Each structure stands twice: as C-alpha cells, then as structure tokens.
Amino acid sequence: NQGGWQRYLFTAIGIAAVVFIIHLLRRHAGQRLFCWALALIMGGAIGNVIDRLLYGHVIDFLDFHLAGWGHFPAFNVADSAITLGAILFIVDELRRVNKH
C-alpha cells in the first residue's frame, strides 16, 4: 500500500511476468498441465496489476480467523490463482521427473 516507486516497480514486474508467461505458453502449447499452471499464475498476476493500476495497491478481501488458532493472512482471488498455479507447476514437474 505504497504510493511511491513500489507501486510502479511491482506493476512492471507483473507486466514482465505476463509477457514471459505468454512466451512460455507459446513454446509449450502441448503440455496441458504446465499451460494450466502458467495460465493461473498469469491470471493472478493480471488481477494484481489491475488492482495496482486502479487503486495503487492490491486489495485483499478474503480474511479468515480460525477459532483458537489465530488469524490467517488476508488474500484475494488473484493470490489464490497464483498459489494454485504454483502447486500445479510443482505437480507437473514432479510427474515429469518421475517419468524419466
């Protein structure tokens, strides 16, 4: 939630990530799970970039408290997509390693 250079730095990183992911999607179009993982990560990155451009920061609106366990960090749907994409990316890589 910074209005200075951080806003522009993280926006630029998000845009660069999207451009790189599009490049990877074109190169690996035949690998379905890999492409799903990249698409989820890219969708999350785009969502966070939109928040930064419109509001100057990413809006986290999912906030959970577990009884007796404390507070879970707040997150949003874009964060969830990035996390799921990263999990799928790891699963894809483990499947590839186990094949060879």
Side-chain angles (χ1 to χ4, degrees):
N1 189 12
Q2 299 293 320
W5 60 271
Q6 298 91 343
R7 174 183 184 181
Y8 303 106
L9 173 67
F10 290 121
T11 299
I13 289 171
I15 292 170
V18 168
V19 170
F20 182 65
I21 289 171
I22 289 171
H23 167 73
L24 288 176
L25 286 170
R26 288 182 177 163
R27 286 190 64 198
H28 302 280
Q31 299 174 13
R32 290 182 55 152
L33 189 57
F34 182 74
C35 288
W36 270 103
L38 288 176
L40 285 166
I41 292 169
M42 182 176 67
I46 290 170
N48 284 338
V49 165
I50 289 170
D51 272 359
R52 282 195 183 91
L53 291 174
L54 293 178
Y55 308 112
H57 60 279
V58 174
I59 298 173
D60 292 328
F61 56 88
L62 298 172
D63 195 12
F64 296 99
H65 298 268
L66 300 174
W69 290 75
H71 180 253
F72 191 79
F75 61 98
N76 60 30
V77 174
D79 297 337
S80 299
I82 292 169
T83 301
L84 182 58
I87 291 168
L88 288 178
F89 185 71
I90 292 168
V91 168
D92 180 59
E93 196 61 32
L94 290 173
R95 286 179 44 197
R96 192 177 331 218
V97 168
N98 289 335
K99 284 183 181 179
H100 299 291

